[in-house]
Amino acid sequence: MPGADDETVPLTVRDGDDRIELAVEPGRTLRDALLDAGLSPYAAATRRLNCDGRGLCATCGVRIREGPPPEHWHDRLADRFGYPRLSCQVTVDGPMSVELVDKLVWGSREQPDGEE
């Protein structure tokens, strides 16, 4: 389809050792883009029990390696303290790189270099 690449932005997803390249329509939430591609930001226990992207349950966290700064209040706190950011509160407007988090329910905090 001519011009199709002009209407999408690249999204790189790391899922364990796998690296998946997606083309996403700008303006989509990261959560919806992941789910549409068959990738889940949820743990097994929360795939069915979640708030459907309203930013209330905090179970759709992913690590954003390259992408927009946090805007949602919960997303800002998560980023500040090293927790995964809510994929339902991130809009894909430009190239992004994210990592799916291995978790039971919520993702764990990343320790700054040198901390244990």
Side-chain angles (χ1 to χ4, degrees):
M1 176 182 224
D5 290 337
D6 296 337
E7 300 168 7
T8 62
V9 294
L11 171 61
T12 302
V13 181
R14 299 220 41 185
D15 185 8
D17 292 332
D18 295 333
R19 180 182 163 128
I20 301 107
E21 300 287 338
L22 303 174
V24 178
E25 295 174 33
R28 309 267 335 267
T29 66
L30 178 56
R31 172 192 176 271
D32 291 344
L34 291 170
L35 290 173
D36 286 350
L39 301 168
S40 179
Y42 297 107
T46 58
R47 285 188 185 164
R48 292 182 190 236
L49 301 171
N50 60 69
C51 70
D52 289 326
R54 291 176 287 179
L56 302 172
C57 69
T59 61
C60 66
V62 298
R63 301 249 181 242
I64 298 181
R65 300 303 182 193
E66 292 180 37
E71 293 180 7
H72 182 269
W73 67 269
H74 185 284
D75 205 25
R76 285 193 305 270
L77 286 174
D79 185 60
R80 179 177 176 190
F81 292 104
Y83 288 96
R85 291 176 52 192
L86 300 181
S87 63
C88 68
Q89 299 302 310
V90 176
T91 302
V92 181
D93 283 330
M96 291 182 67
S97 177
V98 304
E99 182 180 342
L100 299 182
V101 178
D102 187 22
K103 55 193 168 187
L104 293 174
V105 176
W106 295 281
S108 62
R109 180 174 180 254
E110 278 190 324
Q111 298 296 323
D113 290 336
E115 283 188 27
E116 291 186 30

